[in-house]
Amino acid sequence: VPARAIPEDWRLALTAPRPAIAGLTMDRPRLMGILNVTPDSFSDGGQHDRPETALAHGRALAEHSDILDIGGESTRPGAADVPVAEEIERTAPVIAALRAAGVARPVSIDTRKAAVAEAALAAGADMVNDVAALSFDPDLAGVTARAGAAVCLMHAKGDPATMQDDPHYDHVLLDVYDFLVERVRAALAAGIPASRIVIDPGIGFGKTLAHNLALLRGLSLFHGLGCPVLLGASRKRFIGTIGGAELAAARGPGSVAVALAAIGQGVQILRVHDAAETRQAMRLDAAVKGMELGHE
Ligand SMILES: Nc1nc2ncc(COP(=O)(O)OP(=O)(O)O)nc2c(=O)[nH]1
């Protein structure tokens, strides 16, 4: 397998002091709490999709999360595309309400669309979380760069409608790695500095069970990109398949196990539904290992 050298123009990202992402230092594992304001998200659709329930859940998540990830469009396989105006209506007011309620935690907007990101950033978001790695909407990179926002670039093979139809890779780890190299270059070219880029292998986005497990076993490879690594495995189907939990909402223990395994490979940001449970597990894991988790 040909070696992957770290591109010279990124070496600085490795030698510079580990950057803060959306104001969060990367010196300890961080939790990204998921706030889906959708009627159809795969595990919690319809639970937090009204302004009052979204605000209440966002405040509860903020207790145990370092950053809140707000999404107005489900990306589950076969999900319907949400019109831009509706996705804005679902997300920007919730961000504004969280800020008005004094929730100061960094916020990311989980969207592929520039107009949705623009409204969210104007309402107080700090980061764009794009499952399409800035490749769906050509304007999103510029919106992110001009706002000085951080960005998460995630790998997906195909789009939500078709991505699980028999996905194939030559070598899933290296193919995902090479894709992310190309997307980081695109983000740098759009004026987003390396210090504001996070990468994510995209568990469940065009991957079979075997592909997901190969990515989880090889997560440490992605540190070679020189950017913080984010993992979003929480409650996903492979956890149900292996753990025997058909209902997504019953996959908390398996999700925590995967989060701890990822932390063991140095993953810096864990995107989770069950923030309080994951935080508790992280504290015990660190204590048993004699590691200092650091304080909020
Ligand atoms: N960076 C990143 N973002 C993501 N956004 C959504 C989902 C899907 O999970 P969820 O938001 O719970 O479901 P839905 O897309 O149905 O709302 N997974 C990821 C992920 O793995 N990484």
Side-chain angles (χ1 to χ4, degrees):
V1 174
R4 256 69 178 172
I6 297 172
E8 195 43 46
D9 54 336
W10 294 355
R11 198 162 295 283
L12 64 95
L14 284 178
T15 52
R18 180 53 77 185
I21 291 292
L24 293 176
T25 57
M26 293 288 110
D27 57 347
R28 69 181 89 112
R30 297 293 190 168
L31 283 186
M32 173 183 269
I34 300 169
L35 179 51
N36 285 320
V37 280
T38 64
D40 60 345
S41 286
F42 82 90
S43 82
D44 57 359
Q47 292 177 19
H48 319 299
D49 63 340
R50 293 193 319 283
E52 62 279 9
T53 52
L55 179 58
H57 190 58
R59 296 178 79 165
L61 273 177
E63 291 297 309
H64 304 284
S65 309
D66 298 294
I67 182 169
L68 299 181
D69 188 40
I70 296 175
E73 178 185 58
S74 172
T75 56
R76 79 190 187 295
D81 186 62
V82 175
V84 169
E86 184 173 343
E87 193 177 337
I88 291 174
E89 190 45 41
R90 289 178 178 179
T91 50
V94 171
I95 297 169
L98 286 166
R99 291 297 187 231
V103 176
R105 292 277 187 214
V107 165
S108 68
I109 176 71
D110 187 348
T111 188
R112 303 178 289 170
K113 301 166 194 164
V116 176
E118 200 152 34
L121 293 165
D126 311 275
M127 177 172 176
V128 173
N129 174 23
D130 183 2
V131 299
L134 301 177
S135 64
F136 178 82
D137 185 332
D139 297 333
L140 183 51
V143 163
T144 305
R146 283 190 297 277
V151 65
C152 179
L153 306 173
M154 192 198 81
H155 174 273
K157 195 171 188 70
D159 61 35
T162 59
M163 63 189 179
Q164 288 307 111
D165 299 344
D166 191 23
H168 269 90
Y169 299 84
D170 293 336
H171 187 293
V172 63
L173 271 171
L174 298 181
D175 292 356
V176 171
Y177 188 97
D178 291 345
F179 170 90
L180 291 170
V181 167
E182 190 272 323
R183 298 317 300 155
V184 171
R185 283 206 185 288
L188 292 170
I192 301 171
S195 61
R196 292 205 198 110
I197 299 174
V198 172
I199 55 96
D200 177 342
I203 296 297
F205 284 83
K207 281 91 175 180
T208 63
L209 175 64
H211 293 144
N212 286 325
L213 290 177
L215 287 167
L216 291 170
R217 286 185 194 119
L219 279 174
S220 53
L221 171 81
F222 295 102
H223 293 305
L225 289 158
C227 304
V229 179
L230 186 150
L231 184 78
S234 182
R235 296 187 182 180
K236 287 188 175 172
R237 178 177 304 281
F238 80 97
I239 293 175
T241 305
I242 295 169
E246 185 50 36
L247 271 181
R251 298 170 187 164
S255 301
V256 167
V258 172
L260 296 182
I263 289 170
Q265 292 199 55
V267 168
Q268 287 95 339
I269 305 173
L270 287 307
R271 182 178 181 275
V272 300
H273 300 86
D274 307 294
E277 296 81 351
T278 311
R279 174 76 71 197
Q280 182 185 105
M282 286 165 64
R283 288 187 172 133
L284 273 297
D285 183 56
V288 166
K289 292 173 182 171
M291 289 162 51
E292 185 48 48
L293 249 195
H295 297 288
E296 299 322 295

